[in-house]
Amino acid sequence: MKSFAVAALTLCVAVGCDRAPAAGLGDSPRDAPAEAAVVQTPVTKTAAIEPESEPEPEPPSLETRAEALVQTMEALAELHTASAKDCDGLATGLKGFAAEHHAELAAQTPELHAWIDGHDATRARLRTAMGTVMTGSITCRDNAGVQAVYATLTAGK
Amino acid sequence: MRRLISFADSRRRFINPKPRATVDPVTLPTAFVRVAIAASVTLTLAAITPTPARACGWDYETYHAEAKSMPCVFDALLGYWPKHTDAYHERRIEAFDLALAWMPDWTDGLDAEGISYLKLGRLPDADAVMKRRLEVAPEAYPSHANLGTLYTFTGAYDDALRHIDRAMAIEPEAHFGREKYHRALVVFLQRAKADPEVPKTETFVGVKPTMAQRIRGSRGLYARLGLEDDAIDALVAMLTVYGADELAEVYFALGELLAVRGHKRLAYTAYRRVKELGHPRRATAKRSMGRLHTALRAQFYKGSATGGFRRSSHGPREDIYKGIGKKYAHERGGAKQFQRDYARWEEAKIADGLAVWTEAGLDEIYAHMHAVRRRCKAPRVIDDPLAPIAGRDDAPAETDKPADSGDTP
C-alpha cells in the first residue's frame, strides 16, 4: 500500500496532479486539507512518506516453508547418494549439512508438517528424499562419525 | 550401533517426555493385562491370544498391501500368506529413527514407526508415537485410524470407536471403504465385553444364517440377505494385512459369509479354524462342518449307481470319498512351512540390506510374495477364477438355488 502511495505521489509531483489519491488507497480522508497541501508541496518522497522504520516482513507462508524444507531434504538425499560408498565422507558431509541448516531444521513446526501431511505432491517428494536418506544412513550406521552426527541431532530432544 | 539405539531412545523421550504417564492403559505389563482383558472376551470369544498385538493401521505400506492383490480366501484361512518378520519391523524402526532425527514431526515417519511398534507388541512406544502424530496433524485420517487400531487391540473400545469415527468422517473411502467392518468389529467386541451372550448368537458382519442356509448357500441368497462381496475382502484383509489372524471371530464371520454365498469348502475351512481357535460357537462350527461334509459327499457321488460306494469283487465296499478334512490337515501343515520359508527369505533380505522403507524395497517383497504363492486380484478376491480353492477339482458348480428352510443357527 505504501509503495503504491509513493508511486501515486511521485506521479502527481511529476505531472502536477492536483487531486488527492483515491479513497481507500491513502491513509487520510480524500478531503483532508493538510493532505492536499502535502501533495502540492514539491517535497522529496523520502521526506514526505518514508516511514521511520521498515515494516516487519510478513512471515513466509507454510507452502513456502514446506518447499524450502523439501528442497533441504532433497539436498540431504543428494549428499547421501554422493557418499554412498564413503561413510567417512558422509559423516563429514552430514556434520557440515547439520551446521549449515541448523536454523532451518530448528524452525520446523508441527503446523509445517501438518501442511505437508495434507499435500500429496509435497509429501511424496519428501518421502522419496527421506527414503534415500534412510538408505544411505543405514548403510553407514556403524560409522563412528555418522553416529556422532546423529547423536548431536537428537541431543537434548 | 549402541549409540544409535541410545539416541533413538532419547528421540522417543522427546516425542513424548512422559510416555508411561500418558499411556497409562498400555504400559507394557498393563498392555498384557489389557490383552488379557481382551482374552477374557476371548474366552468369551476365545479369540485374542495374549501375544503381541497385531493390528490394522495406516502407513506407507498399507495401500501397497491392499490395492493390487491380497491372499486368496483359501490361503487367508489356512495361513498361506507371508507375514512380516520382527526383523522387518525392527529394521524399519531403525531406519525411521534416523529420518526422524532430522524431522521429528515427519508424519510418514511417525506412521511407519507407530505401526511397527504396534506389530512388535511395543504398545507404549506405539501409543507415544501415534499420539505425537495426532498432535502434529489432528485432522488427518492416519492420526485417528492408527490410534483406533491400537485401542482396538488394547481393548479400549470407547477410545477406539472415537478415533475410528473421526477417521471415517475425515476419509470415508480409506481402506477402499472397508473401515466400516473394522468399526463393526469394535462395536461387536464392545458389546461382547458387556454381554457374553452376544458372541454366542451374533456375528459382527450382521449375518445369522440358519443351518439350511449354510448348506444351501448361493450368490443369490447372499445378495438377498443384503450382504456385500466387499465384506469378504475386508475380512481377508483383517486376517492377512492387519494382523487379526488369531481372532476366531473373524474366521467365524467369514465362515458364515462363505457358507451363505455357497462356497462349501471354503466355509468348511473357516469353521475348522474357528474350532481350532476355540470360538464360543465352535459347536455350531463343528455341526456346520459335518453338514457341509455330508453335502459335499452327496455332490461327489451324485448320479452314482452304487450310492456312493465302490463295489469290489475282492473285498468290502469302499467309500472313495476321502473328504475335505484330510486335505485341510495337509494344507495347514503346508501353510505353516510356507510361513517359515517366507520368514527365512525376508530375514535374509533384511540382513542383506533390502531398503524396506522404499517403494523399490516393497516392490521386491511383494513380487516375492506373489512368486511363492499366487495372490488374488483385489478387490473382490472371492471372484478370482484362478484362486486356489480346497478340493476345486471335485467341486460341483455352486448353484444359485435359494435356501428354503432352516434349522436353528
Side-chain angles (χ1 to χ4, degrees):
Chain A
M1 186 67 77
K2 282 193 166 66
S3 60
F4 186 88
V6 168
L9 283 172
T10 306
L11 187 61
C12 284
V13 169
V15 301
C17 174
D18 60 358
R19 289 184 298 158
L25 295 178
D27 295 328
S28 303
R30 172 184 289 207
D31 56 353
E35 186 72 10
V38 170
V39 170
Q40 291 174 355
T41 304
V43 295
T44 65
K45 63 182 182 182
T46 304
I49 59 169
E50 188 77 354
E52 289 183 2
S53 60
E54 287 292 328
E56 286 290 322
E58 285 193 11
S61 66
L62 285 172
E63 182 176 4
T64 303
R65 290 172 59 203
E67 177 61 28
L69 180 63
V70 170
Q71 287 184 13
T72 299
M73 290 302 145
E74 286 173 342
L76 182 62
E78 283 174 21
L79 175 63
H80 281 79
T81 303
S83 306
K85 296 180 179 175
D86 176 13
C87 290
D88 288 335
L90 178 63
T92 304
L94 291 180
K95 189 175 178 184
F97 190 93
E100 182 184 347
H101 295 279
H102 174 76
E104 183 185 355
L105 293 170
Q108 294 177 78
T109 60
E111 292 74 23
L112 174 60
H113 282 281
W115 189 93
I116 294 170
D117 190 57
H119 291 79
D120 289 344
T122 308
R123 187 176 177 177
R125 280 175 60 199
L126 191 55
R127 253 200 58 71
T128 301
M130 295 317 292
T132 304
V133 170
M134 286 187 274
T135 301
S137 285
I138 280 281
T139 302
C140 294
R141 63 189 181 280
D142 294 330
N143 180 280
V146 170
Q147 290 181 357
V149 172
Y150 276 99
T152 304
L153 281 175
T154 55
K157 291 182 178 177
Chain B
M1 200 62 234
R2 184 170 297 167
R3 292 177 73 177
L4 278 176
I5 292 168
S6 68
F7 70 67
D9 287 340
S10 68
R11 193 190 60 71
R12 273 177 223 120
R13 284 194 293 277
F14 168 70
I15 287 172
N16 190 337
K18 296 177 181 176
R20 300 269 168 180
T22 53
V23 184
D24 169 65
V26 276
T27 51
L28 195 53
T30 318
F32 285 91
V33 171
R34 284 225 161 196
V35 177
I37 291 170
S40 70
V41 178
T42 309
L43 283 183
T44 314
L45 289 177
I48 302 172
T49 57
T51 54
R54 308 248 175 205
C56 106
W58 186 270
D59 68 4
Y60 68 94
E61 189 182 348
T62 309
Y63 187 81
H64 216 103
E66 285 186 328
K68 298 174 183 173
S69 66
M70 289 198 298
C72 305
V73 179
F74 181 60
D75 290 1
L77 292 169
L78 286 167
Y80 273 113
W81 46 272
K83 188 188 292 190
H84 283 312
T85 57
D86 285 357
Y88 170 88
H89 290 293
E90 284 158 3
R91 178 55 57 84
R92 263 194 6 158
I93 290 168
E94 190 178 16
F96 280 95
D97 266 347
L98 297 173
L100 288 164
W102 296 99
M103 297 189 299
D105 290 336
W106 179 38
T107 54
D108 277 330
L110 294 172
D111 287 336
E113 282 212 345
I115 294 297
S116 280
Y117 280 134
L118 179 60
K119 296 210 170 187
L120 288 170
R122 293 171 60 176
L123 304 186
D125 289 324
D127 191 81
V129 171
M130 289 178 184
K131 278 181 176 164
R132 179 63 194 155
R133 209 275 189 222
L134 180 67
E135 286 174 19
V136 171
E139 297 303 317
Y141 167 83
S143 300
H144 295 280
N146 289 346
L147 279 169
T149 299
L150 173 65
Y151 295 139
T152 299
F153 278 78
T154 60
Y157 301 130
D158 290 342
D159 292 337
L161 283 174
R162 186 164 50 83
H163 286 292
I164 292 167
D165 286 343
R166 189 78 192 95
M168 289 176 71
I170 293 168
E171 188 58 68
E173 291 306 309
H175 292 293
F176 303 91
R178 298 179 205 134
E179 190 121 19
K180 62 185 177 188
Y181 296 103
H182 178 194
R183 189 186 194 285
L185 175 62
V186 177
V187 170
F188 180 88
L189 293 173
Q190 187 182 42
R191 291 178 58 230
K193 194 173 176 180
D195 178 4
E197 291 302 309
V198 168
K200 294 178 183 173
T201 55
E202 300 179 28
T203 62
F204 72 95
V205 291
V207 61
K208 294 173 70 173
T210 64
M211 188 59 82
Q213 287 174 326
R214 290 190 186 104
I215 307 309
R216 298 175 203 155
S218 67
R219 286 170 176 77
L221 174 63
Y222 192 84
R224 281 193 297 282
L225 292 178
L227 302 169
E228 298 173 357
D229 286 350
D230 272 1
I232 293 175
D233 284 36
L235 271 54
V236 167
M238 281 184 188
L239 295 176
T240 63
V241 179
Y242 308 141
D245 55 312
E246 298 295 322
L247 193 57
E249 190 55 43
V250 179
Y251 292 96
F252 190 79
L254 194 47
E256 300 282 60
L257 291 174
L258 292 166
V260 165
R261 203 173 184 275
H263 304 278
K264 291 183 175 62
R265 290 167 182 77
L266 294 177
Y268 178 99
T269 308
Y271 290 135
R272 180 93 175 237
R273 290 287 282 138
V274 167
K275 187 166 158 273
E276 282 178 357
L277 290 167
H279 191 280
R281 293 174 76 183
R282 55 192 174 279
T284 302
K286 189 178 176 184
R287 276 201 308 280
S288 302
M289 287 164 55
R291 296 289 296 271
L292 286 167
H293 173 86
T294 303
L296 286 166
R297 186 179 177 283
Q299 285 178 347
F300 181 79
Y301 284 121
K302 191 174 181 182
S304 165
T306 64
F309 291 91
R310 175 186 288 171
R311 291 192 183 281
S312 167
S313 56
H314 304 295
R317 294 190 311 169
E318 179 190 8
D319 185 351
I320 60 172
Y321 179 67
K322 301 301 181 192
I324 194 172
K326 280 187 179 175
K327 181 174 178 61
Y328 174 91
H330 174 73
E331 295 284 3
R332 185 83 179 109
K336 287 175 181 171
Q337 184 58 45
F338 174 90
Q339 293 272 11
R340 287 192 289 271
D341 290 344
Y342 176 79
R344 271 197 293 276
W345 177 86
E346 187 171 274
E347 284 167 356
K349 281 289 175 184
I350 300 290
D352 204 32
L354 180 65
V356 298
W357 46 86
T358 64
E359 281 294 313
L362 286 183
D363 283 343
E364 186 169 342
I365 285 175
Y366 279 79
H368 178 74
M369 286 181 179
H370 201 98
V372 294
R373 186 80 175 180
R374 184 186 177 279
R375 292 160 68 87
C376 280
K377 284 177 82 173
R380 301 290 166 85
V381 293
I382 189 65
D383 286 332
D384 191 318
L386 299 177
I389 293 177
R392 169 181 279 283
D393 291 343
D394 63 347
E398 285 161 336
T399 64
D400 197 17
K401 189 166 53 180
D404 51 3
S405 62
D407 307 340
T408 53

